[in-house]
Amino acid sequence: MLFTFTRPSGFVRRTVALSAILGASVAVMSAQTSQSSDSSVARAATQSNVASMQNSLQAKPTLNLDVPVAGTSSDALFSSSSAEINEVADNSAAPFNFVDPQYGGGHQRYGRPRYRGGNTNADGSNKFTFYGGAGFTVPTGNTHTYLTPSYSFQVGGGPQFSKHFALPIEFDWDNFGFQGRTLANQTTIYNTYIDLYNQNPDPSVGTIAPISNLDGSSHVWSFSIDPTYTFYSGEGLGAYVVAGVGFYHKTADFTVPALGEYCDPFYGCYTYSANQTIDHYTSNAPGFNAGLGLTYKFSRFSNERFYGEVRYVFVDNSQRAGVTAATASAANVDVANDYPANSNHTGYFPIKFGVRF
């Protein structure tokens, strides 16, 4: 006999379907719970990493730019305490000079950079000095009675031991003219001798015309050692004193105008006028000089300085006897010295301007 269970079979189907729905719901809820937990863990891990980085940055030592002081421990030099951080912040108000801390901060003005080399001294000055200049010479004292002012020039150079002291060797040329009375006296002397000669002339030569338009010049050239002390040297102005001793050679030349003839193979012969020396005198003597000078440079970065100086020069010439206009006569015809003033003591002021290197 076959039994058909219609109702129980429908019950089973409904039970299985309900179980499947409940299982799916539980699975979905489990998945969401797991995802929420993973997100919470990730956020916690991120926050932990950020906190660790912040702690690491805060714990990192602050760079200390202070110059180490003797006796300071390494812990103090690299401390990250707030007190030292504040000290560094306070020091930042004045810019720090890593070369020399005493010059740090504020507006500073620096001079010409000094480079120590083989040609410089310890103070940055050059080991050698050179100079050259020109100007005019003014005779003084007894020298003024027979000489007049004229031009002059000088060149010098030598060792420089510091920016204050140098020991150059110098060459000077100081030129002079003759006073009118000097030329007049010499004209009298020469014409006196000409008159005596014309009284009994040499037949082969004949008589000689009297001298007129007498002219001439005198000069002193010298070599001297001139210690120079610069007692003030600013960015622009400077000042120095100088004193020296040396050898002085004094000359005198008397001239008259004369005509000459020059012949050229291409242009022929022509005449010209020139001064002819008729009398020449020399005198050698020691002498000394002393003076004061000022310097000026347009740029504080340059070594060259313009200078102007005045000195007094005295030459200790040895006096030699000779003939003057008052003593010229037949008795003194054989006396060789017709210009004894050339051996007089000589004094003058050379005033010169130039450039020092």
Side-chain angles (χ1 to χ4, degrees):
M1 181 175 177
L2 181 63
F3 294 94
T4 301
F5 295 94
T6 304
R7 295 182 61 87
S9 298
F11 175 77
V12 171
R13 286 194 298 270
R14 287 192 294 270
T15 301
V16 172
L18 180 60
S19 298
I21 293 170
L22 290 175
S25 300
V26 170
V28 171
M29 291 179 64
S30 298
Q32 291 178 349
T33 302
S34 176
Q35 184 177 4
S36 175
S37 299
D38 292 340
S39 299
S40 299
V41 172
R43 284 196 298 271
T46 302
Q47 292 175 356
S48 177
N49 291 335
V50 171
S52 298
M53 293 176 64
Q54 290 178 347
N55 293 334
S56 176
L57 291 174
Q58 292 177 356
K60 187 177 181 180
T62 302
L63 180 60
N64 190 343
L65 299 180
D66 287 346
V67 174
V69 181
T72 304
S73 65
S74 60
D75 293 337
L77 292 178
F78 297 98
S79 174
S80 61
S81 63
S82 60
E84 291 183 352
I85 294 175
N86 292 334
E87 181 180 355
V88 173
D90 293 338
N91 289 338
S92 65
F96 187 79
N97 189 318
F98 288 91
V99 177
D100 194 344
Q102 66 175 322
Y103 297 114
H107 176 71
Q108 300 293 335
R109 188 175 185 181
Y110 301 95
R112 176 174 59 89
R114 295 172 177 173
Y115 302 99
R116 182 73 185 278
N119 295 325
T120 58
N121 297 307
D123 59 2
S125 61
N126 293 330
K127 285 189 175 181
F128 295 92
T129 180
F130 300 95
Y131 55 91
F136 56 95
T137 306
V138 180
T140 184
N142 181 61
T143 307
H144 179 67
T145 62
Y146 57 92
L147 296 179
T148 60
S150 188
Y151 67 89
S152 65
F153 65 87
Q154 67 179 184
V155 291
Q160 182 171 249
F161 302 100
S162 70
K163 66 180 181 180
H164 294 292
F165 183 70
L167 190 64
I169 297 176
E170 184 175 293
F171 172 79
D172 289 88
W173 180 287
D174 299 302
N175 207 71
F176 304 93
F178 286 120
Q179 295 280 6
R181 57 177 169 269
T182 303
L183 296 175
N185 289 338
Q186 290 303 118
T187 300
T188 299
I189 295 172
Y190 298 144
N191 285 336
T192 297
Y193 293 146
I194 290 175
D195 290 340
L196 292 173
Y197 170 82
N198 286 338
Q199 292 176 7
N200 188 18
D202 185 343
S204 62
V205 177
T207 60
I208 300 176
I211 290 177
S212 61
N213 300 322
L214 183 69
D215 202 354
S217 64
S218 177
H219 67 263
V220 176
W221 62 256
S222 63
F223 283 100
S224 59
I225 300 176
D226 298 279
T228 304
Y229 181 75
T230 301
F231 59 89
Y232 175 76
S233 180
E235 292 185 356
L237 290 175
Y240 63 91
V241 292
V242 58
V245 63
F247 171 81
Y248 290 77
H249 178 78
K250 182 180 179 182
T251 69
D253 293 289
F254 294 97
T255 63
V256 293
L259 293 178
E261 182 175 318
Y262 176 78
C263 294
D264 186 275
F266 298 99
Y267 299 99
C269 298
Y270 59 92
T271 59
Y272 64 92
S273 177
N275 289 327
Q276 178 183 358
T277 300
I278 63 171
D279 211 0
H280 174 77
Y281 299 93
T282 63
S283 177
N284 299 322
F288 72 87
N289 70 84
L292 175 69
L294 298 176
T295 62
Y296 180 79
K297 61 179 180 179
F298 292 107
S299 171
R300 58 193 178 96
F301 298 105
S302 65
N303 289 323
E304 297 77 15
R305 284 179 176 265
F306 294 96
Y307 74 91
E309 67 174 33
V310 57
R311 302 189 197 182
Y312 173 72
V313 177
F314 176 80
V315 184
D316 190 21
N317 304 94
S318 298
Q319 185 66 50
R320 296 198 297 258
V323 177
T324 65
T327 61
S329 63
N332 297 324
V333 170
D334 295 331
V335 177
N337 188 10
D338 294 333
Y339 181 60
N342 192 68
S343 59
N344 289 347
H345 291 165
T346 309
Y348 55 92
F349 290 101
I351 302 172
K352 296 170 183 175
F353 306 90
V355 180
R356 291 182 175 271
F357 302 91

